[in-house]
Amino acid sequence: MARLSLPVVLIGPMGAGKTRVGMRLAASVGASFIDTDARIVERYGPIPEIFAERGEPGFRELEREVVAEALHEDAVVSLGGGAVLDLDTRRDLAELPVVWLRVTPQAVASRLAGGGRPLLVDGGIEAWRRINAEREPVYASLADLTIDTSRRSVARIVADITGRFGDHE
């Protein structure tokens, strides 16, 4: 079993597979998995409701608190797509192994179908394209490893990450 220097952080757009890859990666190295969006939901309720009640700035404030805490845990950490917009989060990530999971618009369309993601409610895949284009330079600046998940198996992605960041015994 490979060991990872933890935390390892997964970033990328909605639908890139951060949760699926993160869960499998954590299981493969015997680590905990933290999905910061799931932690926000546990503590504060559904994300669409947070957006409705507090707006995006209010959500980002809660997100920053949860992310800062998670980045100090020995875990595989999956960040929400927009968490990297926070400058303090970017500073925190500078010292950590960061994996950018990319995905093509064609591959993500089926993954996001039927979801209730607040930033996509009105704009669908075009909103995803716009949001992703805005965030790509930030993802690129933070990434130590970039993997396109569009046509790659989760097992292969996990192997790529452990190959890059693992201590193999």
Side-chain angles (χ1 to χ4, degrees):
M1 177 186 294
R3 287 195 354 234
L4 291 179
S5 176
L6 298 169
V8 168
V9 184
L10 306 178
I11 63 171
M14 291 174 262
K18 297 181 302 286
T19 299
R20 259 181 97 196
V21 169
M23 291 173 75
R24 183 85 63 88
L25 177 62
S28 77
V29 298
S32 298
F33 171 67
I34 300 169
D35 178 320
T36 57
D37 281 350
R39 193 171 270 187
I40 290 166
V41 170
E42 285 171 18
R43 290 189 186 165
Y44 302 106
I47 291 172
E49 288 180 19
I50 298 169
F51 266 79
E53 292 168 12
R54 302 180 185 215
E56 187 172 356
F59 170 77
R60 296 292 174 207
E61 203 174 286
L62 299 177
E63 180 178 54
R64 170 61 192 152
E65 169 194 312
V66 167
V67 167
E69 175 186 289
L71 295 179
H72 286 92
E73 296 182 42
D74 288 338
V76 174
V77 180
S78 168
L79 300 187
V84 298
L85 300 175
D86 185 273
L87 292 175
D88 290 329
T89 295
R90 287 189 217 174
R91 279 191 282 273
D92 290 347
L93 292 175
E95 304 301 316
L96 300 173
V98 176
V99 180
W100 173 20
L101 299 181
R102 299 182 68 157
V103 64
T104 64
Q106 296 78 16
V108 85
S110 64
R111 296 180 189 180
L112 297 179
R117 297 170 190 253
L119 294 179
L120 299 184
V121 167
D122 294 329
I125 194 65
E126 287 310 313
W128 182 91
R129 284 179 194 268
R130 181 183 45 74
I131 292 165
N132 189 50
E134 290 169 0
R135 295 174 182 173
E136 273 195 338
V138 178
Y139 296 143
S141 72
L142 296 168
D144 298 302
L145 175 63
T146 301
I147 300 172
D148 189 318
T149 66
S150 303
R151 308 184 93 164
R152 203 169 187 84
S153 73
V154 173
R156 184 71 231 154
I157 295 164
V158 167
D160 290 345
I161 295 168
T162 55
R164 173 70 189 273
F165 300 115
D167 294 333
H168 301 280
E169 297 177 352

